């Protein structure tokens, strides 16, 4: 794939993330109606999640009619180009509902290579946090950017002095397993942050505002864009285990290695 194409795709991802982000930001001024719950009673979806995904679908149909899309709210449509857009219209819906700024529109475009979206090679990405007016972008082989500034060399400290982002799933059963894992991680690190948007967490790792990130049960749309930002900033994203039950671990190579050893000692 030509580098020009990755950069063009990054521009489309950024454009759509900003357009959807404007819709999300404008909706924040009014009362947000919870439209439904999903995997459990605490897994919220609002009309704004649905409207933002519909906007991205409509705009992709105009700009990239041959591509497919895998979106959190409306599932997968297949295209003919071999590319699929992987979209979380609001990553951090709980924060959005509570008026907390850590929420984002996360858009990645990947080569649709086989049945496993976690394995699709991501070509370009954008994560836009409308309440913070922050945007992270990346194009394969072309680097990662925070608000247009090139990100380089995810800084490494030691595990014991690492500020580690993580997150939790929505069902009680998954959360009790995650609480167990946390008991192994927390005593070994500087501290834990649960900011509420995995896509933003990954971008903060790329920027050095978090040293490391790990989370189990992420969906492809939670991590596809942020993972490319980390990798293009010089960091490593490793998956431990398969599919949805897998862990995602991101940061500088040495710290990912050390955290992986801790997680391997506790994960089932
Ligand atoms: C969630 C956020 C959160 C993470 C959860 C995700 P959603 O996405 O990324 O930080 O801990 O695992 O499901 O539901 O707000 O799109
Ligand atoms: Ca999400
Ligand atoms: Ca979401």
């Amino acid at each position: 794939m030509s580098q020009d194409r990755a950069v063009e795709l990054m521009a489309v991802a950024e454009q759509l993330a900003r357009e959807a982000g404007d819709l999300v930001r404008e909706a924040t001024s009014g009362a947000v109606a919870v439209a439904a719950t999903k995997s459990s009673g605490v897994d919220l979806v609002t009309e704004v999640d649905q409207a933002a995904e519909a906007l991205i679908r409509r705009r992709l149909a105009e700009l990239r009619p041959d591509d497919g899309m895998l979106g959190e709210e409306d599932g997968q449509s297949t295209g003919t180009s071999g590319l699929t857009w992987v979209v979380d219209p609001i990553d951090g819906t709980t924060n959005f509902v509570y008026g907390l700024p850590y929420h984002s529109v996360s858009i990645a475009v990947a080569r649709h290579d086989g049945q496993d979206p976690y394995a699709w090679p991501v070509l370009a990405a954008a994560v836009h946090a409308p309440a913070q007016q922050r945007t992270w972008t990346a194009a394969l082989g072309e680097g990662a950017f925070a608000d247009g500034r090139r990100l380089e060399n995810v800084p490494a400290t030691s595990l014991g002095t690492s500020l580690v982002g993580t997150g939790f799933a929505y069902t009680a059963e998954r959360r009790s397993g995650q609480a167990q894992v946390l008991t192994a991680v927390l005593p070994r690190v500087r501290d834990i942050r649960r900011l509420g948007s995995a896509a933003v967490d990954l971008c903060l790792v790329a920027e050095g505002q978090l040293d490391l990130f790990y989370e189990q049960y992420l969906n492809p749309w939670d991590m596809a864009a942020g993972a490319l930002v980390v990798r293009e900033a010089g960091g490593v994203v490793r998956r431990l285990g398969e599919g949805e039950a897998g862990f995602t671990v991101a940061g500088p190579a040495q710290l990912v290695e050390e955290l992986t050893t801790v997680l391997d000692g506790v994960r089932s």
Side-chain angles (χ1 to χ4, degrees), residues 36-45 49 72-73 93 170 221:
T37 55
K38 295 193 286 188
S39 59
S40 78
V42 296
D43 185 1
L44 307 176
V45 57
D49 295 72
E72 177 174 13
E73 308 305 339
T93 296
Y170 290 109
W221 46 81

Side-chain angles (χ1 to χ4, degrees), residues 43 72 88 90-93 167-168 170 194 196-198 215 218 222:
D43 185 1
E72 177 174 13
D88 192 339
I90 303 180
D91 185 53
T93 296
F168 307 115
Y170 290 109
R194 195 288 191 252
S197 165
E215 186 166 343
L218 288 182
D222 299 315

Side-chain angles (χ1 to χ4, degrees), residues 9-19 107 125-126 128 135 137:
L9 291 168
M10 179 175 80
V12 174
E14 180 172 1
Q15 168 76 23
L16 297 190
R18 286 179 181 280
E19 289 181 19
I107 301 183
H128 177 60
T135 308
T137 52

